[in-house]
Amino acid sequence: MEIDYAKVGLKVGLEIHQQLNTHTKLFCGCPPALFKEEPEITFLRRLRPTQSELGQVDPAAFFEFQKGIKIQYEANRDTSCLVEMDEEPPHPLNREAVEVVLTAALMMNMQPIDEVHVMRKTVIDGSNTTGFQRTCIIASDGWIKVGEKTIPMQAASLEEDAARKTGTLDNGKTICYRIDRLGIPLIEVATAPVIYSPTEAQEVALAIGRILRDTGKAMRGLGTIRQDLNVSLPNGALIEIKGVQELELISKVVEYEFQRQLGLIQVKAELQKRGVKPEALKEKFVDVSEVFRQTQCKVIRKALDKGQKVAAVKLPKFSGILKRELMPGFRVGTELSDRAKFWGRVGGIFHTDEMPAYGVTAEELGALREAVAAGKEDAVVFVADTSENVHDALKAVVERAQEAVEGVPAETRTAKDDGTTRYMRPRPGAARMYPETDIPPTLITAELVEKIRGNLPEPAEKKQARLMKQYGLNEKLAKQLLDSEYGVLFEAITKETGVAATTVAVFLTETLKSLRRDGVAVENVTDDQIMDVFRGVGSGTLTKEAVADVFSWLSEHEDKDLQDAVDALGLKMLSRAELAELVDRMIAENRQSVDQLRKKAFGMLMGIVMKEVRGKADPAVVTALLKERLS
Ligand SMILES: [Zn+2]
């Protein structure tokens, strides 16, 4: 059955962050690049809650601080300097990045502002060495057309990217961040919450992604674009979903969140029908270690052997609720479990809706129910871990169960690769912003705006028509190029190398997509390298059949070039003399068959010769030679 999302009242707003491939970072001269080697420098900082201007601690900041965490930063000298380490004030705002955002903003029909003021936004998870993120609005109040619909665009901002998390130390008490990513320019654009279906959300995101790429300055590869979604339902809640990395995943994420909220609304109705009141859910935790003294359940056995304990809590009238599915593979029990993991640092929870299982027997369950005085209509949740952790975990479980009676809790969630989402943290309060006093305002003059307006990239529909006309591409290829990250490169290659446009287009769209699917790290190969490969094809030193192999090789061998790839893969083209010699030899070796087949011998010989020289000779040259020798 088709779901009428608009009728149910689904509303989605998008916030898209795209890294910009400018020459330097936003506030220093470092290149916007990441490093893979071991860090040259590490330094330790402790998280402190910052007092905002109003003297209040930001709730999100306080929440992070509560966890009592230390941060270890990792750096190398090529990708960061004293600015990223917060040992030197930021340099003036990168003008190139401002112009890229202005370009995108004008393509989205926004109004540029006159004076750019850099602001500080409190971020205290350690991902910024300063404790805040610098951000500035460049333009606002625009719109884009997606199909027949006009989508209002709220604003375009320029922000510094944060450091990236690389792992944790000391049982999670120290978080490691790499500061190479810190300071890379990000354009952030936000739509109004006027998107009414999962498909529409994806179409709008694709349209925005296309405009950002048309600036020619969008970084590419996984992690360079990140989408945040605000999804809300009437009677549900406003849920912020962070970190969708692939545009293709957006419709699924929205669909699953819609399902999850509907499911939770139904749970609320069911609990109310059963007469459950939040205050009936009590933080009364019972030590049930004795019940499991002889247990065969591995997780519990291991915990008890370590001297830890098992504690349980009764959820009155919750029987059957926890096994209700909200998203594929995700049940109400998972909601409780996510909270327990987060606040109680436990590996997970057990509950009676999924029992008997995991080696827990019916006898143990009977004793467990008895220990917490639970009847048939009640559910019991139990956890095995240290005293402190089981207490925090069960407390979080009870809180989440109380929220289930009220409906959908507003929270920030994080998107998984399969499109489902998981609890991330409570919703932060409204972002606290205050002026960055180290950076003077940047003026956006009318002259600058007019200069940029005069040189805007052509809009998508026009471009598609031009690609088809100018390069003889079919509609499908032209569309694929528009959606690809390689549209600009396509035209450069075709113009410079003389290689057939269709060959280049197929490689940059379909071939790269399938290479990526096969696990080739496509983003490791630079535009210059790709250009070089096609120069090889254009000049006849490389066959077009060998392009994919050369590309894959280059993706695994950094700092190597086309010549290295050709040598390593044994792709050196055969000279005409070498080829003639080989053809003669093949004819001699197959003399008998050639005599028998006569004119039909060509096909057979072509097969034999091409098997020998694939990637080392142009099939057209082989054909000519064979025909000449056979006649
Ligand atoms: Zn720097």
Side-chain angles (χ1 to χ4, degrees), residues 25 27-31 78-85 91 182:
K25 288 185 177 179
F27 297 110
C28 67
C30 296
D78 295 338
T79 56
S80 51
C81 63
L82 293 173
V83 173
E84 288 92 331
M85 296 173 196
H91 304 183
L182 182 59

Side-chain angles (χ1 to χ4, degrees), residues 41-292:
I41 306 159
T42 60
F43 54 99
L44 207 62
R45 300 258 166 96
R46 192 179 292 273
L47 279 185
R48 286 165 311 210
T50 49
Q51 298 291 116
S52 83
E53 303 291 79
L54 298 169
Q56 278 177 306
V57 176
D58 182 290
F62 181 68
F63 160 77
E64 298 288 349
F65 171 70
Q66 257 190 332
K67 294 196 285 186
I69 274 165
K70 275 187 275 183
I71 308 290
Q72 176 169 301
Y73 293 105
E74 308 169 346
N76 78 356
R77 289 182 178 85
D78 295 338
T79 56
S80 51
C81 63
L82 293 173
V83 173
E84 288 92 331
M85 296 173 196
D86 194 26
E87 300 288 351
E88 183 185 311
H91 304 183
L93 188 61
N94 174 343
R95 300 284 308 194
E96 184 191 7
V98 173
E99 293 189 16
V100 176
V101 177
L102 268 178
T103 305
L106 291 176
M107 289 174 81
M108 297 180 196
N109 306 291
M110 290 191 207
Q111 306 301 319
I113 58 161
D114 301 331
E115 237 180 56
V116 179
H117 293 270
V118 179
M119 304 292 283
R120 296 173 168 185
K121 187 158 76 182
T122 307
V123 176
I124 204 183
D125 59 5
S127 62
N128 286 61
T129 47
T130 50
F132 52 80
Q133 179 191 32
R134 297 188 184 98
T135 176
C136 49
I137 291 187
I138 304 290
S140 63
D141 293 328
W143 52 269
I144 57 168
K145 272 273 199 212
V146 179
E148 293 301 300
K149 187 165 160 178
T150 302
I151 305 287
M153 301 298 302
Q154 291 178 332
S157 305
L158 186 55
E159 301 190 332
E160 57 178 349
D161 205 345
R164 60 191 171 111
K165 195 172 164 182
T166 51
T168 58
L169 299 169
D170 327 325
N171 287 323
K173 291 258 162 67
T174 300
I175 305 177
C176 304
Y177 280 102
R178 201 162 271 210
I179 61 171
D180 47 5
R181 200 178 70 178
L182 182 59
I184 291 182
L186 282 178
I187 176 172
E188 184 203 273
V189 291
T191 74
V194 294
I195 297 164
Y196 303 131
S197 80
T199 333
E200 196 186 12
Q202 182 148 333
E203 281 166 6
V204 173
L206 279 170
I208 295 173
R210 208 175 279 149
I211 290 173
L212 298 183
R213 277 198 304 277
D214 280 343
T215 64
K217 284 291 174 187
M219 198 94 81
R220 63 176 164 243
L222 196 66
T224 57
I225 188 162
R226 298 192 294 275
Q227 280 100 183
D228 296 348
L229 314 173
N230 291 310
V231 183
S232 70
L233 283 187
N235 306 319
L238 178 61
I239 299 292
E240 188 183 12
I241 299 172
K242 292 259 182 211
V244 184
Q245 298 208 347
E246 284 181 70
L247 290 166
E248 287 76 19
L249 209 55
I250 287 182
S251 65
K252 205 177 241 179
V253 171
V254 175
E255 186 188 323
Y256 286 164
E257 177 55 21
F258 177 84
Q259 285 176 16
R260 191 184 73 92
Q261 293 203 28
L262 277 192
L264 287 173
I265 293 167
Q266 282 162 6
V267 164
K268 171 191 172 181
E270 173 66 25
L271 288 172
Q272 285 183 341
K273 208 170 87 191
R274 294 183 188 185
V276 184
K277 295 267 185 308
E279 54 274 20
L281 295 153
K282 296 207 164 65
E283 289 177 11
K284 198 178 155 201
F285 312 139
V286 183
D287 187 333
V288 292
S289 304
E290 269 320 304
V291 171
F292 295 98

Side-chain angles (χ1 to χ4, degrees), residues 179-473:
I179 61 171
D180 47 5
R181 200 178 70 178
L182 182 59
I184 291 182
L186 282 178
I187 176 172
E188 184 203 273
V189 291
T191 74
V194 294
I195 297 164
Y196 303 131
S197 80
T199 333
E200 196 186 12
Q202 182 148 333
E203 281 166 6
V204 173
L206 279 170
I208 295 173
R210 208 175 279 149
I211 290 173
L212 298 183
R213 277 198 304 277
D214 280 343
T215 64
K217 284 291 174 187
M219 198 94 81
R220 63 176 164 243
L222 196 66
T224 57
I225 188 162
R226 298 192 294 275
Q227 280 100 183
D228 296 348
L229 314 173
N230 291 310
V231 183
S232 70
L233 283 187
N235 306 319
L238 178 61
I239 299 292
E240 188 183 12
I241 299 172
K242 292 259 182 211
V244 184
Q245 298 208 347
E246 284 181 70
L247 290 166
E248 287 76 19
L249 209 55
I250 287 182
S251 65
K252 205 177 241 179
V253 171
V254 175
E255 186 188 323
Y256 286 164
E257 177 55 21
F258 177 84
Q259 285 176 16
R260 191 184 73 92
Q261 293 203 28
L262 277 192
L264 287 173
I265 293 167
Q266 282 162 6
V267 164
K268 171 191 172 181
E270 173 66 25
L271 288 172
Q272 285 183 341
K273 208 170 87 191
R274 294 183 188 185
V276 184
K277 295 267 185 308
E279 54 274 20
L281 295 153
K282 296 207 164 65
E283 289 177 11
K284 198 178 155 201
F285 312 139
V286 183
D287 187 333
V288 292
S289 304
E290 269 320 304
V291 171
F292 295 98
R293 209 38 84 188
Q294 305 299 325
T295 194
Q296 298 298 309
C297 172
K298 280 186 195 146
V299 177
I300 298 181
R301 181 79 272 145
K302 215 169 134 193
L304 289 177
D305 287 349
K306 275 197 280 187
Q308 298 177 338
K309 70 180 206 179
V310 189
V313 69
K314 174 169 83 171
L315 302 179
K317 300 183 186 170
F318 259 68
S319 177
I321 296 286
L322 303 188
K323 67 179 172 198
R324 288 199 180 196
E325 194 173 65
L326 298 170
M327 296 184 280
F330 184 100
R331 297 163 194 282
V332 176
T334 326
E335 292 264 330
L336 270 53
S337 168
D338 279 357
R339 292 285 184 93
K341 284 179 191 170
F342 191 81
W343 294 97
R345 305 156 297 273
V346 297
I349 60 169
F350 295 101
H351 60 79
T352 45
D353 270 7
E354 56 176 6
M355 293 286 154
Y358 308 113
V360 176
T361 64
E363 289 71 43
E364 286 165 343
L365 282 177
L368 171 76
R369 284 186 176 280
E370 204 169 303
V372 296
K376 263 201 163 72
E377 69 283 9
D378 306 323
V380 183
V381 174
F382 51 112
V383 186
D385 210 297
T386 63
S387 290
E388 191 194 351
N389 289 359
V390 294
H391 177 270
D392 291 350
L394 289 180
K395 191 166 182 287
V397 163
V398 170
E399 277 168 12
R400 181 64 191 84
Q402 287 170 337
E403 288 168 1
V405 185
E406 314 277 359
V408 187
E411 61 197 19
T412 302
R413 301 181 65 82
T414 180
K416 296 280 170 192
D417 291 343
D418 63 358
T420 61
T421 58
R422 305 307 283 263
Y423 178 73
M424 188 177 170
R425 56 164 191 238
R427 285 290 309 269
R432 278 176 210 295
M433 303 258 229
Y434 44 105
E436 166 62 81
T437 43
D438 289 339
I439 303 168
T442 303
L443 294 179
I444 297 183
T445 60
E447 290 78 23
L448 177 64
V449 173
E450 283 325 302
K451 190 192 102 191
I452 291 173
R453 202 189 293 281
N455 289 297
L456 287 185
E458 62 191 329
E461 328 73 85
K462 267 203 186 144
K463 190 169 180 180
Q464 185 186 324
R466 185 176 61 78
L467 287 174
M468 291 168 69
K469 191 156 170 264
Q470 188 175 341
Y471 298 98
L473 299 180

